[in-house]
């Protein structure tokens, strides 16, 4: 079942499920099962809705305004250069440990919202990624237990200002401009998704395929990432881990394939839908 965060008719944030092109409101403006999608994860409602959605107020999916899948995570942990193909194109091979940086929750945007190209960059790029959402408190989690701590998965596009990212060894500035963390459209329960390693990620710019890889090609797999991250910080239900991007980013194409205003970027992952955003230059 596809869960999503979106705006109610009065503009207030809510959440629900999308079934056969219809959005059912399970949030404050609907059935009131949880305050938001993060709260649904915390309370255990997420993935356990069953047929209750049939009693909820409904609208066509085409009429809703999507919000980031989790609008208010307490932590967003991102992993860099974590596909072998991306390591090769960047020259950063044989890493000893995952490259970790953070993204701020207020930089996120939903499906179909503009990706804001900062006025101060000339090197705006895309990074299609798989994101996972933590389902229960996780601290010092071993690899064998990692899967049990995941509530669900979604598509992420970690839009990046490369000149800001590459100005120093610290990446956070290039990864945290407003309107650059696209997340959604849906959050799918881990129980509904099957073998995550078999999922295929594809990123397209104006219809041209730029990235395509199996999640099984991750250099540090999901259990390794959860063990590593929870080795230094405590993750709570609703926190997000963004697992890395494959080779094919615009910066390392020849010639470069960096983004311009009006470019339409789509990231699709098997079973998780298509996340689509159009680049708009910051005024």
């Amino acid at each position: 079942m596809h869960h999503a965060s979106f705006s109610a008719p009065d503009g207030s944030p809510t959440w629900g499920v999308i079934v056969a092109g219809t959005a059912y409101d399970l949030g404050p403006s609907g059935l009131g099962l949880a305050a938001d999608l993060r709260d649904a994860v915390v309370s255990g409602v997420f993935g356990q809705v069953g047929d209750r959605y049939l009693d909820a107020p409904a609208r066509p999916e085409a009429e809703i305004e999507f919000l980031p899948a989790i609008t208010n995570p307490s932590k967003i942990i991102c992993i860099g250069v974590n596909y072998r193909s991306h390591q090769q194109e960047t020259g950063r091979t044989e890493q000893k440990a995952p490259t970790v940086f953070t993204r701020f929750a207020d930089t996120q945007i939903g499906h179909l919202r503009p990706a804001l190209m900062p006025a101060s960059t000339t090197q705006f790029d895309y990074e299609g990624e798989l994101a996972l959402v933590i389902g229960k408190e996780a601290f010092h989690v071993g690899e064998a237990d990692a899967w049990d701590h995941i509530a669900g998965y979604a598509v992420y596009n970690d839009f990046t200002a490369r000149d800001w990212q590459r100005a120093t060894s610290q990446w956070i500035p290039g990864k945290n401009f407003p309107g650059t963390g696209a997340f959604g459209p849906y959050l799918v329960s881990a129980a509904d998704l099957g073998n995550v390693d078999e999922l295929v990620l594809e990123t397209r710019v104006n219809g041209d395929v730029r990235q395509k890889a199996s999640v099984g090609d991750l250099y540090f797999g999901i259990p390794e990432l959860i063990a590593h991250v929870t080795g230094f910080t405590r993750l709570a239900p609703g926190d997000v881990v963004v697992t890395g991007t494959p080779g094919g980013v615009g910066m390392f194409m020849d010639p470069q394939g960096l983004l311009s205003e009006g470019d339409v970027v789509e990231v699709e992952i098997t079973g998780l839908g298509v996340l689509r955003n159009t680049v708009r230059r910051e005024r």
Side-chain angles (χ1 to χ4, degrees):
M1 183 174 286
H2 288 167
H3 301 71
S5 298
F6 50 89
S7 295
D10 65 0
S12 63
T14 191
W15 71 282
V17 295
I18 313 292
V19 180
T22 299
Y24 296 86
D25 190 341
L26 306 181
S29 55
L31 282 188
L33 297 186
D36 51 40
L37 196 43
R38 177 188 173 189
D39 185 49
V41 172
V42 172
S43 63
V45 170
F46 173 75
Q48 304 298 322
V49 172
D51 292 336
R52 285 181 287 177
Y53 73 87
L54 295 172
D55 297 323
R59 285 183 288 156
E61 179 180 5
E63 295 182 5
I64 66 173
E65 179 180 326
F66 283 92
L67 301 173
I70 300 290
T71 58
N72 55 344
S74 61
K75 293 177 184 173
I76 304 172
I77 305 293
C78 300
I79 309 299
V81 285
N82 195 31
Y83 281 82
R84 290 172 177 84
S85 56
H86 190 40
Q87 291 176 347
Q88 290 165 2
E89 71 181 1
T90 61
R92 299 187 60 186
T93 57
E94 300 182 1
Q95 295 186 69
K96 304 303 181 184
T99 299
V100 179
F101 60 95
T102 55
R103 178 176 274 281
F104 307 142
D106 64 359
T107 68
Q108 294 193 129
I109 53 174
H111 172 57
L112 300 178
R113 301 304 298 164
L116 294 180
M117 180 179 180
S120 60
T121 187
T122 59
Q123 298 180 350
F124 197 49
D125 209 349
Y126 53 85
E127 291 192 4
E129 310 197 28
L130 173 71
L132 62 89
V133 174
I134 295 297
K136 60 183 180 180
E137 185 174 299
F139 192 49
H140 296 309
V141 175
E143 292 183 25
D145 298 320
W147 297 109
D148 294 337
H149 290 75
I150 301 172
Y153 299 88
V155 184
Y156 214 98
N157 195 335
D158 184 36
F159 287 101
T160 303
R162 295 289 184 205
D163 37 8
W164 281 81
Q165 177 194 10
R166 293 158 64 88
T168 74
S169 61
Q170 304 301 311
W171 294 2
I172 289 177
K175 300 286 190 174
N176 279 286
F177 281 89
T180 59
F183 187 17
Y186 313 119
L187 180 64
V188 176
S189 168
D192 292 339
L193 202 55
N195 187 349
V196 176
D197 285 343
E198 294 180 355
L199 304 183
V200 175
L201 182 156
E202 181 175 288
T203 303
R204 301 179 290 270
V205 179
N206 302 324
D208 177 42
V209 176
R210 298 285 187 88
Q211 298 179 294
K212 189 166 186 177
S214 166
V215 173
D217 293 338
L218 285 169
Y219 187 76
F220 296 104
I222 289 172
E224 291 175 276
L225 294 180
I226 291 178
H228 181 77
V229 171
T230 64
F232 71 85
T233 190
R234 190 183 304 272
L235 297 180
D239 286 350
V240 179
V241 178
V242 188
T243 59
T245 197
V249 299
M251 184 73 184
F252 295 101
M253 294 177 63
D254 187 16
Q256 287 183 339
L258 295 164
L259 298 171
S260 301
E261 184 164 25
D263 285 343
V264 178
V265 187
E266 298 173 309
V267 185
E268 181 174 8
I269 300 179
T270 314
L272 299 179
V274 179
L275 173 64
R276 182 181 300 110
N277 302 93
T278 299
V279 177
R280 190 182 78 197
R281 184 78 180 183
E282 182 185 28
R283 307 304 180 194

